[in-house]
Amino acid sequence: MSLLDRRTLLFAPLALAACGFQPVYGPGGAGSALQNRVLVDEPDDRDGYLLTREIEERLGRGAPARFGLALNIATTQEGLAIDAEGNTTRFNLLGAVDYVLRDLTSGQIVTSGTVDSFTGYSATGTTVATLASAQDAQERLMRILADQILARLYTAQIPA
């Protein structure tokens, strides 16, 4: 007999509703409360541009913005693998972002926090290949950080 039967599937939505589960893009969900209503502060470097681009692709641009999102990005690079000649052949790119979502009408902070992650890249090819790998790692890191920020924003209590 299967552990998962039809009765379980029928009662699962009731159990989720009882625990306060609410779909992100459902009526009154955080996704619809933030969609096209968040203005990300202007970026001042490549990391900021990439992170802002990722967030705006998912949330849209705040045409009449209700919320402002401030981002403070810190990245570091560390060598991981060193060959017999002393050359570093693999790098980790570490990133952390402090974010603050504020209500633009009242100036109140809605939510804030910090997310962090890392990516790696190889430096064993030509100079051009290494540069391309580093830029790709930077883009991947900003995408990961944007995903984490959005997950936190979606779970925050956003005023209607």
Side-chain angles (χ1 to χ4, degrees):
M1 184 165 133
S2 172
L3 293 175
L4 182 66
D5 61 9
R6 291 181 188 176
R7 287 175 294 194
T8 306
L9 291 175
L10 290 174
F11 290 117
L14 294 174
L16 288 174
C19 74
F21 173 79
Q22 182 178 12
V24 171
Y25 290 108
S32 58
L34 294 174
Q35 193 67 38
N36 295 319
R37 299 180 71 200
V38 176
L39 178 64
V40 182
D41 291 354
E42 187 175 320
D44 57 359
D45 60 1
R46 180 173 164 78
D47 286 336
Y49 166 75
L50 293 171
L51 186 60
T52 300
R53 182 183 72 185
E54 291 294 329
I55 292 171
E56 285 181 347
E57 280 181 5
R58 292 171 180 85
L59 290 180
R61 286 194 173 174
R66 162 97 193 271
F67 302 101
L69 182 62
L71 305 168
N72 184 15
I73 306 166
T75 58
T76 57
Q77 179 176 287
E78 58 184 32
L80 291 179
I82 300 173
D83 64 11
E85 287 109 26
N87 300 319
T88 305
T89 59
R90 182 135 188 98
F91 291 92
N92 253 4
L93 188 58
L94 307 155
V97 178
D98 296 322
Y99 65 91
V100 177
L101 183 71
R102 62 195 183 285
D103 189 326
L104 294 177
T105 56
S106 68
Q108 296 281 53
I109 293 177
V110 177
T111 187
S112 63
T114 302
V115 296
D116 59 26
S117 193
F118 71 95
T119 57
Y121 67 94
S122 176
T124 57
T126 64
T127 304
V128 173
T130 299
L131 181 59
S133 294
Q135 289 175 346
D136 180 63
Q138 183 184 31
E139 289 181 25
R140 284 184 286 123
L141 178 61
M142 292 304 124
R143 187 173 304 117
I144 291 167
L145 293 171
D147 289 342
Q148 290 180 1
I149 291 169
L150 292 174
R152 299 262 183 103
L153 292 180
Y154 289 149
T155 58
Q157 297 296 322
I158 305 297

